[in-house]
Amino acid sequence: MDGKALAERVRKDVAEEVASLGRPVGLATVLVGDDPASGVYVRSKQKACREVGIEPFDHNLSSETGQDDLLALVEQLNGDEAVTGILVQLPLPEQIDEDRIIRSIKPIKDVDGFHPFNAGHLLQGSPTFVAATPAGIMEILREYKVDLKGARAVVIGRSNIVGKPMALLLLAEHATVTICHTRTRDLPAVVREADVVVAAVGHPQTVTADMVREGATVVDVGINRTDDGLVGDVAQDVREKAGLLTPVPGGVGPMTIASLLRNTVRAARYQSGELAFPLD
Ligand code: NAP
């Protein structure tokens, strides 16, 4: 499943949408520290913004930044009319309480969808901002006409940013969903039952061919930097078993960025009142 090609089409749609809004749209990105991977992600999000006519506002803070200073910056961005969306790149250094920072972002600007307000709306079946990675995966599954109704879906990983929202989105499409994690007993047996597998683990080779049903749809969310370069969570030999598979790179990654752009335009529509945001 070619996430890169789909993401190009989405970005084109978003560019047209931004142009038709007739007013500026801006995304503030906040990067704390000098983690190289986080730096790469933030720069690619900023580049994607520029390409679709969204203005990126770059905030780069030292790794020594304290929680109060970061809270003050978020507060300033919350009140800045030029800032449509706010993205605080995770992970944050250990002196900062990540949940506290996420809760400080104004829900109507929370384009990552991590604020409990927006996560709660997804849980209750009335989504506002949906986390970009699972939202992008759903778009890939729709594009490839994967039948989710009644399908057995297994999500490996239960993080707030990927696994849990992914499971909720699959459930909303009437899949029968199982969430696996480090305490799951006999992971291979559980995965073998799945029509759709989403691996969001962060370890190479977590899903191997012997664990996958013939013809199953497999989504590889993992991004692991190894001596052999960038690899996902799914082993190469799964290609022979799966009916559909997302490559790494070129699968979920590009669609994550495309979904972030979509969310930012959605934020503009909420803020103009064109779409009703449930807090107002
Ligand atoms: P995370 O917060 O570290 O969560 C990993 C999850 O995997 C946890 O729930 C953990 O279980 C589970 N897990 C770890 N080892 C396992 C094992 N051997 N068997 C079963 N479950 C296991 O990671 P995340 O933020 O969700 O990200 C997951 C992966 O996706 C990472 O590689 C990340 O880089 C990648 N990612 C990619 C994109 C993209 O755009 N492509 C976006 C976001 C993340 P416990 O809860 O029990 O610890």
Side-chain angles (χ1 to χ4, degrees), residues 41 133 156-159 161-163 180-183 187 200-203 206 221-224 233 252-253 256:
Y41 295 145
T133 300
I156 319 175
R158 55 175 165 181
S159 71
I161 66 176
V162 188
C180 299
H181 44 77
T182 52
R183 315 303 203 279
L187 181 71
V201 179
H203 295 299
T206 303
V221 186
I223 302 178
N224 305 295
D233 294 338
V252 174
T256 294

Side-chain angles (χ1 to χ4, degrees), residues 90-109:
L90 304 179
L92 292 168
E94 58 182 19
Q95 73 273 17
I96 297 175
D97 175 353
E98 228 162 66
D99 291 341
R100 176 77 190 84
I101 298 301
I102 290 170
R103 283 199 309 274
S104 74
I105 297 170
K106 213 170 163 182
I108 203 168
K109 294 192 175 187

